Amino acid sequence: MGSRRKHARITTELPKELIQAINERLVAGETYEGIAAYLRERGHDISKSSVGRYGKDFLAKLERLRVVKEQARTIMTEGKDGPALEMTEAATQLALQLIMERLVTAEDLRDAKSSEILKALALLERSAVQREKLKMDAGRMLEVAISRIKTSLQEELEKNPDVLERLIGMVDAVAAEAKEKQ
């Protein structure tokens, strides 16, 4: 199955400022015919069909960006990890999704860029493993800190057991809350 031929007159013949103006007009909902007329007024004979092909690709990319932004927002609000890990987790999940969409067809695996895609997948996987290791290390460090606090409190408060029990209960409550946030 052959791929659709790209028509690049807009991107190759027009200055960046004019392309930006076209993009803004597309976002504003102006018709392809109106944009073609706008280009003719500026001395560029670009057909309505060329504008339409460019507009279709541009608007599809714009919609994809909106979806990705919404997905990132959702991941951020539903994330259980601390703020430092939320952005990397969101970025990793979105990048994996985009890569997997690229690998949908068997033709893509034979594509010259397939090795680059597979390398990117490997890097993302390594990043995910490192993130999980960081979470586990943080959990272990929290357990060690809790144990040390309890031991210190016990040594200092052996003479007053009621206060010791209340303080240990408070530390346990804080620890349980911290674990829920992990």
Side-chain angles (χ1 to χ4, degrees):
M1 180 176 175
S3 65
R4 191 174 138 216
R5 182 170 66 104
K6 289 284 183 188
H7 301 275
R9 283 194 68 199
I10 288 178
T11 57
T12 59
E13 294 180 16
L14 300 179
K16 289 181 183 179
E17 300 80 30
L18 204 49
I19 294 172
Q20 181 64 32
I22 292 169
N23 294 345
E24 290 169 3
R25 289 170 180 269
L26 287 167
V27 170
E30 189 169 331
T31 65
Y32 297 150
E33 190 171 307
I35 295 172
Y38 170 80
L39 293 172
R40 279 192 299 278
E41 290 171 3
R42 279 146 186 78
H44 300 279
D45 188 27
I46 306 283
S47 71
K48 175 183 120 178
S49 296
S50 289
V51 172
R53 284 186 295 272
Y54 173 81
K56 183 179 177 185
D57 288 342
F58 173 78
L59 293 173
K61 288 176 186 173
L62 183 64
E63 180 58 26
R64 182 69 189 127
L65 282 174
R66 286 181 182 148
V67 168
V68 167
K69 282 176 71 174
E70 185 58 37
Q71 289 172 340
R73 200 172 297 124
T74 301
I75 291 169
M76 293 295 289
T77 58
E78 291 181 6
K80 297 179 282 186
D81 301 330
L85 294 176
E86 286 178 357
M87 271 311 273
T88 56
E89 183 67 25
T92 299
Q93 287 182 11
L94 292 173
L96 277 171
Q97 179 181 348
L98 293 172
I99 289 170
M100 293 311 292
E101 287 174 4
R102 175 77 171 111
L103 292 174
V104 168
T105 65
E107 291 176 18
D108 289 332
L109 292 174
R110 289 188 295 270
D111 190 333
K113 293 183 179 180
S114 65
S115 64
E116 294 172 21
I117 293 169
L118 294 174
K119 286 178 188 175
L121 272 173
L123 285 172
L124 287 170
E125 184 61 27
R126 191 174 321 137
S127 171
V129 168
Q130 288 173 342
R131 223 178 13 266
E132 288 304 314
K133 183 179 182 288
L134 177 65
K135 287 180 192 177
M136 288 175 39
D137 289 346
R140 278 190 229 119
M141 290 176 11
L142 180 62
E143 291 295 328
V144 168
I146 290 168
S147 177
R148 286 183 182 169
I149 290 170
K150 284 182 180 179
T151 302
S152 295
L153 286 173
Q154 196 168 15
E155 290 171 358
E156 294 295 321
L157 298 173
E158 281 182 345
K159 296 178 184 170
N160 198 344
D162 293 340
V163 175
L164 175 62
E165 286 180 33
R166 284 191 304 193
L167 287 173
I168 288 175
M170 292 167 60
V171 170
D172 286 340
V174 170
E177 185 178 322
K179 286 179 184 179
E180 286 178 15
K181 290 181 181 179
Q182 281 188 339

